[in-house]
């Protein structure tokens, strides 16, 4: 009996969970296999901790994560109704990983004995994995002649760029409340410099627009005028320096003429194919992650280069159908509702709106040209959303205004607020 209690005590120890979580986060941009192994291990360790004595936290994780659960359910239905069921079920595994990541990250923040130290560990692990993956990508560019940077398991240059843009925004948000993550300024500056440098090497032009816009929005909403000036100056200097390199100069100048080289216009054929998929399967689409299949290309007259929809909503319309798009929008809308209906004036509260707006703005602006869903990016999406929503849930504030609350009656935000204030 004592041995059993000792094993249970070891498995529910916070340090064991955090060690597994750190390895999982490190491997988001580095190793697909290790990422999946330690995601599942972290989930099992968290569920064990919840079962032992944190049932109330489990209820919060479930209620706050209902939109993610709904999207995963739509993904499963889409996979089961797909014309290429085996491949679609593989795609569903990615959405199931996203749901698991929500549980792991939200549980990590809810159960943390010290939330600041937990966030610090996650950021250190994330930056370490990004730098390690980036060094491998640089090796591929320098010694093997790769034309653009692609980091390890993140896929192509666009998937790498969208992951790096989310990392940049997460790191930049720590400047809104410098003590928030307990990280030193030199480390943060190095991390931002490394992230932006790697992002430039991906040669993904959409993020040359979306990321500065999202960054400026974050700093303006956070009223960080000094940081805004420094960031704008740094971007201007970087642009001037990069202008000396012909390839990068062409990429920067072509941003204002996206149709000039025909690469953007080539997406039109992909979007037309996605609309044909939607017309044939309006509710559930053709199944997650099936865009690149040869039989799909032949059936919907897609161009050879169309490995995905080249637009977040066209991609989802084709693969997940109308239900998928609506359930995904529900995640974003209810996240915004939770944060913007918060009337707290606390220092922690003031960082939540800027980070949320910046992340979603970057998501939607870059989403015009990229699918912006799937893989490690979706897991990082869950990390940022969990950080914001768990922190928001922890704030002391007055109940929602009677005139606003009915707008969300029966919904996720309104229900959870009623439940929370009645239980106090």
């Amino acid at each position: 009996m004592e041995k059993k209690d000792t094993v249970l005590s070891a498995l529910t120890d916070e340090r064991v969970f955090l060690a597994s979580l750190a390895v999982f986060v490190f491997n988001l941009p580095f190793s697909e296999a290790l990422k999946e192994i330690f995601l599942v291990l972290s989930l099992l360790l968290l569920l064990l901790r919840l079962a032992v004595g944190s049932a109330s936290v489990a209820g919060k994780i479930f209620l706050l994560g209902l939109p993610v659960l709904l999207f995963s359910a739509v993904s499963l239905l889409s996979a089961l109704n797909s014309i290429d069921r085996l491949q679609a079920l593989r795609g569903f595994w990615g959405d199931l990983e996203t749901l698991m990541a929500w549980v792991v990250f939200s549980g990590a923040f809810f159960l943390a004995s010290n939330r600041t130290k937990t966030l610090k560990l996650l950021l250190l692990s994330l930056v370490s994995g990004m730098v390690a993956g980036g060094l491998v990508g640089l090796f591929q560019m320098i010694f093997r002649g790769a034309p653009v940077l692609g980091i390890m398991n993140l896929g192509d240059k666009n998937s790498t760029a969208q992951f790096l843009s989310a990392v940049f925004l997460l790191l930049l948000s720590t400047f809104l409340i410098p003590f928030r993550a307990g990280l030193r300024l030199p480390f943060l500056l190095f991390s931002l410099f490394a992230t932006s440098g790697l992002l430039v090497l991906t040669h993904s032009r959409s993020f040359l627009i979306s990321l500065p816009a999202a960054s400026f929005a974050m700093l303006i909403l956070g009223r960080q005028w000094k940081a805004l000036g420094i960031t704008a100056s740094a971007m201007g200097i970087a642009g001037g320096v990069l202008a000396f390199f012909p390839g990068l100069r062409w990429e920067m100048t072509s941003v204002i003429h996206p149709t000039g080289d025909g690469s953007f216009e080539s997406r039109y054929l992909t979007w037309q194919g996605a609309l044909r998929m939607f017309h044939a399967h309006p509710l559930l689409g053709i199944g997650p992650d099936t865009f690149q299949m040869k039989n799909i290309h032949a059936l919907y007259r897609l161009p050879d280069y169309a490995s995905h929809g080249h637009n977040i909503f066209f991609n989802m319309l084709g693969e997940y159908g109308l239900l998928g798009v609506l359930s995904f929008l529900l995640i974003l809308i209810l996240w915004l509702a939770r944060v913007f209906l918060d009337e707290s004036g606390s220092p922690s509260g003031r960082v939540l709106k800027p980070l949320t707006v910046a992340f979603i703005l970057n998501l939607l602006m870059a989403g015009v040209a990229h699918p912006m869903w799937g893989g490690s990016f979706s897991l990082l999406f869950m990390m940022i959303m969990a950080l914001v929503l768990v922190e928001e849930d922890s704030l002391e504030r007055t109940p929602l205004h009677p005139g606003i609350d009915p707008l969300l009656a029966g919904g996720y935000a309104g229900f959870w607020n009623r439940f929370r204030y009645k239980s106090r």
Side-chain angles (χ1 to χ4, degrees):
M1 189 68 176
E2 283 186 20
K3 185 177 180 181
K4 182 179 179 181
D5 291 341
T6 302
V7 172
L8 182 62
S9 177
L11 291 175
T12 55
D13 190 302
E14 184 180 29
R15 292 170 296 182
V16 175
F17 169 71
L18 289 178
S20 174
L21 184 61
V23 177
F24 159 55
V25 173
F26 175 88
N27 283 290
L28 284 177
F30 195 72
S31 169
E32 182 73 17
L34 290 175
K35 178 192 79 175
E36 294 185 353
I37 290 170
F38 281 91
L39 169 60
V40 174
L41 179 59
S42 299
L43 177 68
L44 294 176
L45 291 172
L46 178 70
L47 293 177
L48 189 59
R49 294 183 70 199
L50 292 172
V52 167
S54 302
S56 61
V57 171
K60 292 180 179 181
I61 293 171
F62 173 75
L63 286 172
L64 287 173
L66 271 176
V68 185
L69 177 62
L70 176 62
F71 181 82
S72 301
V74 171
S75 175
L76 177 59
L77 289 174
S78 176
L80 294 175
N81 285 276
S82 174
I83 59 176
D84 198 328
R85 187 174 296 174
L86 181 60
Q87 175 62 28
L89 285 172
R90 291 174 181 168
F92 163 70
W93 168 252
D95 294 325
L96 183 60
E97 282 186 327
T98 303
L99 178 61
M100 289 191 287
W102 161 258
V103 175
V104 166
F105 286 126
S106 58
F109 290 126
F110 268 126
L111 297 177
S113 57
N114 187 318
R115 195 172 294 166
T116 298
K117 288 185 177 180
T118 298
L119 178 58
K120 180 179 179 179
L121 175 67
L122 293 178
L123 290 177
L124 288 171
S125 302
L126 182 62
V127 171
S128 299
M130 180 195 70
V131 170
L135 289 175
V136 176
L138 288 172
F139 174 84
Q140 298 282 357
M141 292 183 74
I142 296 171
F143 296 102
R144 297 190 177 177
V148 295
L149 181 78
I151 295 182
M152 300 295 285
N153 69 313
L154 295 180
D156 62 13
K157 63 168 188 167
N158 296 325
S159 299
T160 298
Q162 64 195 46
F163 183 87
L164 291 173
S165 67
V167 173
F168 184 92
L169 293 173
L170 179 58
L171 291 168
L172 187 63
S173 70
T174 60
F175 282 92
L176 301 179
I177 305 178
F179 60 81
R180 180 71 182 87
L183 295 169
R184 294 183 180 275
L185 183 61
F187 173 80
L188 288 172
L189 292 175
F190 162 77
S191 301
L192 288 170
F193 177 79
T195 307
S196 54
L198 293 173
L199 185 61
V200 168
L201 293 177
T202 63
H203 293 237
S204 189
R205 285 175 291 170
S206 302
F207 294 92
L208 293 178
I209 299 175
S210 67
L211 188 57
S215 301
F216 294 157
M218 177 190 292
L219 295 173
I220 290 170
L221 286 173
R223 299 179 182 179
Q224 297 293 314
W225 310 119
K226 183 178 179 180
L228 177 64
I230 293 172
T231 303
S233 300
M235 288 184 175
I237 293 171
V241 172
L242 294 175
F244 288 99
F245 298 89
L248 294 174
R249 181 171 63 246
W250 176 85
E251 300 229 3
M252 289 186 290
T253 55
S254 65
V255 162
I256 59 176
H257 300 292
T259 60
D261 66 340
S263 62
F264 191 84
E265 291 177 332
S266 68
R267 287 165 163 76
Y268 297 163
L269 295 175
T270 306
W271 299 347
Q272 290 172 3
L275 289 175
R276 285 192 287 269
M277 295 174 189
F278 170 66
H279 185 265
H281 304 276
L283 286 181
L284 292 170
I286 61 170
D289 199 30
T290 54
F291 225 104
Q292 79 275 17
M293 304 304 292
K294 289 184 178 180
N295 56 337
I296 298 296
H297 277 222
L299 188 60
Y300 297 102
R301 306 192 300 280
L302 288 168
D304 293 337
Y305 53 80
S307 59
H308 48 71
H310 285 291
N311 177 288
I312 185 171
F313 292 112
F314 283 127
N315 192 83
M316 285 193 167
L317 270 178
E319 291 191 341
Y320 296 87
L322 184 61
L323 290 181
V325 171
L326 292 177
S327 59
F328 180 76
L329 284 175
L330 191 64
I331 295 174
L332 303 184
I333 291 169
L334 294 181
W335 180 6
L336 286 167
R338 286 286 301 182
V339 172
F340 275 87
L341 291 178
D342 168 37
E343 298 176 357
S344 170
S346 71
S348 295
R350 286 196 296 269
V351 76
L352 305 181
K353 293 182 180 70
L355 178 55
T356 298
V357 168
F359 180 83
I360 294 180
L361 185 62
N362 183 62
L363 179 85
L364 297 181
M365 288 183 69
V368 172
H370 304 303
M372 297 297 286
W373 182 255
S376 291
F377 172 80
S378 298
L379 307 187
L380 185 58
F381 185 156
M382 293 299 104
M383 176 178 165
I384 293 173
M385 190 169 78
L387 171 64
V388 171
L389 292 183
V390 171
E391 187 67 31
E392 186 274 343
D393 182 79
S394 304
L395 296 174
E396 295 290 338
R397 65 178 189 272
T398 57
L400 295 178
H401 189 278
I404 298 176
D405 201 26
L407 295 176
L408 299 168
Y412 146 101
F415 172 80
W416 179 239
N417 274 310
R418 291 192 187 92
F419 172 84
R420 190 153 60 92
Y421 289 108
K422 284 182 179 178
S423 64
R424 285 185 177 176

